[in-house]
Amino acid sequence: DAARSALGIAREALCGLTSASLHRRKGQDVLIDALGRLDTSGLTGPLVWLLAGEGPESAALAAKARAVAGVEIRLVGQLTPIEQALAAADIFCLPSRKEGLGVALLEAMAAGLPVVASAVGGMREAVVDGESGLLVPPEDPQALAEALGVLLCAPERRAQLGNAARARVRAEFDVARMCSRTEELYVRLVRADR
């Protein structure tokens, strides 16, 4: 409640979050298209979507967002620390066209948020589709709208995926574990080279 109050989000609203630099490769334009296609009739309250980040696409995304009816899309700039926005959100989406590991996605999963992401790069490894989040094809606003719609209308499913996401990050993407696995890989590569 405190996080929502600080961000000016009503208690009864559903809150979505995307945290990424505002560059074309991050796909926020695809998300805005998806939000424009979203059937909001089954939602339990108004939908507010926070686009956190800065970058060269800011003006174009703001113009695109103004044309969407039925969803309040806010470009909120860089939010530091991001924990307040994560605490306020009900769902997280990273619709990237290209992505390495997707650290923002891992942060959202660690916070227990249900996630929807493009099936690109390391996000395919981070999210087990249907188990710890939902993956959609990149640059497919219709598939993205459908995935978001499923979760926004189902609080129990959001809770289930959010809990599984948190457990997956703790089990597979803990810093010590990742460092250990990277070291093991280097040792195997050096030994194989010999």
Side-chain angles (χ1 to χ4, degrees):
D1 286 345
R4 283 184 172 231
S5 178
L7 291 167
I9 299 168
R11 188 176 202 182
E12 69 276 3
L14 285 165
C15 179
L17 173 64
T18 297
S19 175
S21 61
L22 304 182
H23 286 84
R24 185 175 188 283
R25 70 182 175 86
K26 294 294 187 176
Q28 290 98 334
D29 59 318
V30 178
L31 173 61
I32 293 171
D33 286 342
L35 292 172
R37 296 172 186 220
L38 193 63
D39 177 7
T40 58
S41 63
L43 302 185
T44 59
L47 177 59
V48 176
W49 204 280
L50 304 179
L51 291 179
E54 296 174 348
E57 296 294 313
S58 180
L61 292 169
K64 192 174 189 72
R66 284 191 293 273
V68 174
V71 178
E72 182 184 348
I73 303 171
R74 299 182 191 172
L75 277 77
V76 293
Q78 191 69 37
L79 294 178
T80 306
I82 195 64
E83 287 80 9
Q84 185 176 55
L86 292 169
D90 295 296
I91 186 172
F92 183 88
C93 179
L94 193 56
S96 301
R97 289 176 167 91
K98 296 170 86 175
E99 192 67 57
L101 179 57
V103 173
L105 179 74
L106 294 178
E107 289 174 337
M109 292 172 72
L113 287 175
V115 298
V116 179
S118 299
V120 297
M123 296 194 299
R124 292 176 297 198
E125 295 175 36
V127 176
V128 178
D129 188 33
E131 185 179 306
S132 60
L134 301 178
L135 293 173
V136 297
E139 298 195 68
D140 189 338
Q142 186 59 43
L144 185 55
E146 290 169 10
L148 292 171
V150 164
L151 292 184
L152 288 168
C153 292
E156 299 84 13
R157 183 75 171 129
R158 287 197 308 269
Q160 177 188 38
L161 288 179
N163 289 334
R166 179 184 291 123
R168 179 155 176 79
V169 167
R170 287 183 177 163
E172 299 296 327
F173 295 94
D174 169 86
V175 172
R177 184 172 178 89
M178 290 178 70
C179 288
S180 175
R181 285 181 171 175
T182 301
E183 182 180 10
E184 290 170 9
L185 173 64
Y186 286 151
V187 168
R188 279 197 318 268
L189 291 173
V190 168
R191 287 182 180 156
D193 192 43
R194 289 182 182 167

